[in-house]
Amino acid sequence: MIGSLRRLGRFGCNALESLGRAGGFLLLSAFAVPSREGFGLWVRQMHFVGVLSLAIVLVSGLFIGMVLALQGYTILVEFGAEQALGQMVALSLLRELAPVVAALLFAGRAGSALTAEIGLMKATEQLSSMEMIGVDPLRRVVAPRLWAGFVALPLLTVGFSVVGIWGGYLVGVEWLGGFEGSYWGNMQSSVEFLDDVGNGMIKSMVFAVVVTWIAVFQGYDLIPTSEGISRATTRTVVYSSLAVLGLDFVLTAVMFGGLS
Amino acid sequence: MSDTPFVVVEGLHFSRGETEIFRGVDLQIPRGKMTAIMGPSGTGKTTLLKLIGGQLQPDAGRVLIEGENIHAQSRKALFAMRRRMGMLFQSGALFSDLSVFENVAFPLRVHTDLPEAMVRDLVLMKLEAVGLRGARDLMPAELSGGMTRRVALARAIALDPQLILYDEPFVGQDPISMGVLVQLIKRLNEALGLTSVVVSHDIKETLSIVDYVYVISDGQVMAHGTPKSLDVNQDARVRQFVHGEPDGPVPFHYPAKDYFSDILDAGVRS
Amino acid sequence: MKRSKTMELGVGLFMLAGILGLVFLGLRVSGMTLNASGDTFRLEANFANIGSLKPRARVTMAGVTVGRISAIELDTEWYDARVVMELDSDLEGELSRDTTAAILTAGLLGEQYVGLSVGGDPEMLADGDTIRDTQSAVVLEELIQQFVSNMVND
């Protein structure tokens, strides 16, 4: 009894301690003063986490939009409400699916790669040697990656939404023969730019911070062995997926659930 | 001034988790000389270098570099102090996304505002010193282990440091590149008048180039002296280590219960 | 750093695409218009009940979109809804004074919009005028209620 209480206490202390370390790490690196070549490093990382994730995000967005339209159409047609297809596709993408699915894909594609890359740099003593040369690795290695993630994911989310809505149009209008005017018209009259697009973007920015933070911290904090790297990579994907889904519920409750 | 030690380590205690790694280590690294820190594997020699470089915080004791306590510095001052140090890591630790040239140029670019032409000249000079001027466009992944370490050496001396720390420079090298590295380190130190600390357990190679040796075991300094005096040291533990005897005070067997009863136990269980 | 030129170009294109996507979401998906003022003119219409009509809903003539609703407010004099519409300036001075405005629904459950149909009055509506002849939204619940009470009465 006492033993299990102590284990619980130790678990709590460890969790708090690593959370504290992760928080300090985020502050130190995100607000590290950008160095002269900081912009170049950031561009490099933008290419790595943003441009190279574009393909998977866009293809997924297209398919999800198409599936939404297909499923939605067959249900809505039963109620004679197939005009509402555009509204349904756009709202579910903008508010929910694009931020969440793009963040999950981002965690799998870019997050795990960030963890592995930084972990490998740690294992091969590159981070230590950078410190010994007198360059702060938080500034040189971590900060550009963090900021690239912060910027890239919201942009990817926009791409996801656009492609998804277009995919819905392809299926709902071109293929199933819905009326084009009501697809766009219904959408336009029900989508509010600030409420729907704006809140979706806020969600996606929150996810961007959380996923990139987890990925980079896991890489920086791992045990520098091959086993440590593989574990940290797995942890990145698991933790960020859980964090994204959990936060999504909280954010949705605050934004659309009338809890504010 | 020149006869005061460059690095002084006083009463250093350090533990990792439950394990005590150092229990009161005292060292003095003389200026302009090569000092070796030796000891069996797992005695925390690399940890000691990281403590000297200020990458780890000791539990007690201090490390003075030219009279300044490196662990009492602000982050900024610490990075400034490190400009006077070079460190050669066991794996070389070249930045894998930069070419050989850019790796050596890295310290110059971040710490100086030299024009590009001057950076180029300096980098080529350092690469020439390690005999790899022709390899400047290769990527680190294309280098052999010995070449990697030579490039890392060129990078470590790029800013002309006063102190250079070598972490296991000879480990895992074939005899030829080992010979090359030994000669290179010796020549560079003589030419540049560096203060050097070599951490190693390659006894023969290390003793052939250093001026002074500290032997560490069980978290303490076990013996120190010139290579000659160590060679004739009569302490059983020192003799075992210096002459590489398989059994002695450091036992061949990992602690276990009695061999005979252990085997019989297993027989009973099955 | 050799590839940095193409890399920069790629990142630039990526960011540009993101911003264009956001513009698309604004204009095409949420129906904002860049030229909100300028070549449009305003008409007002009072409805007894607007149903679920929203700002930025379409205003159509014979099914063709000719404008958008810019504001909906409660008219405290009559306690009905005043709907402000922004119409194409091409139509300024072309709509007769007895033009009717009706709130229509696209399909059974679709969006609601305003449909205009022209009358025969020789006088034309000008900027800021009010359409007198309006037809309120058909509210589904009321229809059903009527239908049910008719059945009971029969």
Side-chain angles (χ1 to χ4, degrees):
Chain A
M1 183 61 197
I2 302 231
S4 54
L5 259 179
R6 249 187 54 204
R7 265 203 300 281
L8 185 69
R10 194 163 56 215
F11 174 77
C13 287
N14 285 345
L16 263 181
E17 193 199 329
S18 60
L19 197 67
R21 248 182 320 148
F25 166 84
L26 179 68
L27 286 183
L28 268 180
S29 42
F31 299 105
V33 192
S35 41
R36 269 174 304 171
E37 71 281 79
F39 182 74
L41 293 169
W42 177 79
V43 167
R44 231 181 140 84
Q45 293 307 320
M46 273 298 281
H47 176 79
F48 182 64
V49 300
V51 178
L52 297 184
S53 310
L54 202 55
I56 181 177
V57 167
L58 291 188
V59 171
S60 314
L62 182 67
F63 279 117
I64 285 190
M66 283 163 61
V67 165
L68 266 181
L70 202 53
Q71 293 274 17
Y73 191 86
T74 51
I75 293 171
L76 289 174
V77 92
E78 297 210 0
F79 302 103
E82 63 269 29
Q83 309 85 355
L85 185 68
Q87 166 184 355
M88 193 208 81
V89 169
L91 285 184
S92 38
L93 275 172
L94 290 173
R95 288 183 175 184
E96 201 56 45
L97 284 172
V100 171
V101 178
L104 293 180
L105 291 171
F106 185 78
R109 166 66 182 74
S112 56
L114 281 180
T115 304
E117 195 195 8
I118 294 182
L120 207 62
M121 290 178 83
K122 184 174 182 180
T124 53
E125 298 175 309
Q126 292 184 43
L127 297 182
S128 284
S129 80
M130 202 172 270
E131 269 184 27
M132 285 307 296
I133 290 173
V135 175
D136 189 348
L138 289 185
R139 218 165 102 177
R140 168 96 195 180
V141 175
V142 174
R145 284 170 172 77
L146 269 180
W147 281 104
F150 293 174
V151 177
L153 181 51
L155 290 177
L156 290 170
T157 304
V158 170
F160 191 102
S161 296
V162 170
V163 171
I165 288 171
W166 180 65
Y169 168 82
L170 279 187
V171 169
V173 175
E174 300 278 332
W175 182 24
L176 297 174
F179 177 53
E180 176 169 2
S182 65
Y183 184 83
W184 296 114
N186 239 320
M187 191 186 292
Q188 289 172 1
S189 67
S190 58
V191 174
E192 293 287 333
F193 188 74
L194 283 184
D195 281 356
D196 299 319
V197 181
N199 277 341
M201 291 312 290
I202 292 175
K203 269 189 181 180
S204 146
M205 287 174 198
V206 173
F207 296 160
V209 171
V210 170
V211 172
T212 324
W213 176 24
I214 290 177
V216 170
F217 180 70
Q218 288 294 344
Y220 196 76
D221 202 48
L222 53 71
I223 302 155
T225 58
S226 45
E227 196 199 358
I229 293 177
S230 80
R231 277 196 186 169
T233 320
T234 314
R235 268 207 303 272
T236 293
V237 177
V238 173
Y239 288 0
S240 22
S241 306
L242 287 178
V244 164
L245 294 171
L247 272 174
D248 180 52
F249 175 74
V250 175
L251 289 173
T252 308
V254 171
M255 286 169 176
F256 305 109
L259 282 186
S260 60
Chain B
M1 185 68 191
S2 67
D3 52 348
T4 56
F6 195 86
V7 180
V8 179
V9 178
E10 289 175 349
L12 196 70
H13 286 258
F14 182 79
S15 51
R16 182 167 280 157
E18 304 286 297
T19 356
E20 266 196 318
I21 296 179
F22 297 121
R23 294 175 303 182
V25 171
D26 297 290
L27 294 173
Q28 295 194 335
I29 313 285
R31 185 182 299 270
K33 297 270 172 62
M34 291 194 81
T35 307
I37 297 173
M38 312 195 75
S41 319
T43 47
K45 300 184 299 287
T46 305
T47 311
L48 184 60
L49 281 191
K50 288 195 169 172
L51 282 161
I52 293 176
Q55 293 191 298
L56 295 172
Q57 288 286 333
D59 299 337
R62 40 185 205 157
V63 174
L64 302 176
I65 302 217
E66 285 195 298
E68 286 181 88
N69 185 347
I70 192 160
H71 297 108
Q73 305 292 322
S74 69
R75 210 174 161 78
K76 204 173 167 188
L78 179 64
F79 281 122
M81 276 175 92
R82 286 191 184 142
R83 284 180 212 180
R84 289 184 282 153
M85 302 182 205
M87 180 155 174
L88 184 69
F89 283 83
Q90 194 170 342
S91 59
L94 296 180
F95 303 131
S96 44
D97 53 344
L98 300 178
S99 68
V100 165
F101 181 92
E102 286 298 328
N103 258 290
V104 180
F106 184 84
L108 296 168
R109 290 198 203 283
V110 292
H111 287 311
T112 65
D113 275 320
L114 296 176
E116 186 57 34
M118 200 133 151
V119 170
R120 185 173 176 278
D121 291 350
L122 279 171
V123 171
L124 292 186
M125 274 163 62
K126 304 293 175 190
L127 281 175
E128 175 69 25
V130 297
L132 290 175
R133 193 164 43 85
R136 69 185 110 159
D137 291 326
L138 297 181
M139 294 304 281
E142 299 169 292
L143 301 176
S144 71
M147 283 159 80
T148 304
R149 253 172 246 192
R150 280 150 72 186
V151 174
L153 186 57
R155 186 180 65 181
I157 58 171
L159 283 173
D160 293 320
Q162 293 160 289
L163 169 68
I164 186 157
L165 309 168
Y166 297 94
D167 184 9
E168 302 280 9
F170 311 121
V171 115
Q173 299 295 313
D174 65 69
I176 299 175
S177 43
M178 182 119 89
V180 169
L181 276 168
V182 169
Q183 281 313 307
L184 199 56
I185 290 174
K186 193 177 165 64
R187 247 189 24 232
L188 277 175
N189 278 278
E190 279 166 3
L192 302 173
L194 295 169
T195 306
S196 309
V197 180
V198 183
V199 151
S200 179
H201 50 222
D202 290 291
I203 303 151
K204 195 164 66 72
E205 288 74 22
T206 312
L207 291 189
S208 70
I209 53 172
V210 299
D211 303 304
Y212 205 78
V213 183
Y214 281 89
V215 181
I216 291 184
S217 181
D218 293 329
Q220 278 168 323
V221 174
M222 187 170 70
H224 58 96
T226 57
K228 271 211 177 71
S229 73
L230 272 193
D231 212 27
V232 295
N233 193 312
Q234 283 312 304
D235 184 285
R237 291 176 304 167
V238 177
R239 223 181 47 213
Q240 187 197 358
F241 179 73
V242 173
H243 299 286
E245 293 160 2
D247 208 357
V250 178
F252 169 70
H253 289 291
Y254 191 81
K257 60 180 165 176
D258 182 61
Y259 185 45
F260 192 62
S261 60
D262 212 3
I263 284 183
L264 284 186
D265 273 357
V268 170
R269 220 183 318 126
S270 64
Chain C
M1 302 268 164
K2 275 172 228 145
R3 292 159 302 172
S4 78
K5 276 270 152 52
T6 47
M7 201 177 278
E8 276 170 10
L9 189 70
V11 173
L13 283 176
F14 171 60
M15 297 190 62
L16 186 70
I19 291 162
L20 285 181
L22 209 57
V23 171
F24 171 83
L25 289 183
L27 293 184
R28 188 74 212 234
V29 174
S30 36
M32 291 167 106
T33 38
L34 286 177
N35 45 356
S37 58
D39 45 0
T40 60
F41 76 107
R42 268 158 52 103
L43 282 184
E44 293 180 6
N46 282 36
F47 293 92
N49 189 339
I50 55 163
S52 59
L53 190 70
K54 287 194 190 119
R56 287 189 297 98
R58 289 180 295 147
V59 177
T60 64
M61 282 189 81
V64 180
T65 304
V66 294
R68 290 194 178 280
I69 292 176
S70 60
I72 297 174
E73 56 206 16
L74 189 66
D75 186 336
T76 45
E77 196 179 336
W78 301 99
Y79 290 102
D80 57 5
R82 187 194 301 130
V83 173
V84 184
M85 295 171 276
E86 302 273 346
L87 302 182
D88 273 357
S89 52
D90 298 351
L91 291 173
E92 189 167 5
E94 302 289 324
L95 300 175
S96 63
R97 195 158 273 283
D98 59 349
T99 296
T100 61
I103 297 179
L104 306 171
T105 309
L108 193 56
L109 296 171
E111 38 145 0
Q112 289 194 305
Y113 61 96
V114 173
L116 301 179
S117 39
V118 218
D121 200 307
E123 275 189 67
M124 299 297 164
L125 289 168
D127 187 33
D129 281 354
T130 302
I131 298 176
R132 298 281 163 213
D133 192 358
T134 62
Q135 188 186 327
S136 288
V138 176
V139 178
L140 199 62
E141 291 89 329
E142 287 175 7
L143 264 185
I144 294 171
Q145 213 167 17
Q146 264 176 13
F147 178 69
V148 171
S149 56
N150 286 346
M151 290 237 303
V152 172
N153 291 344
D154 283 347

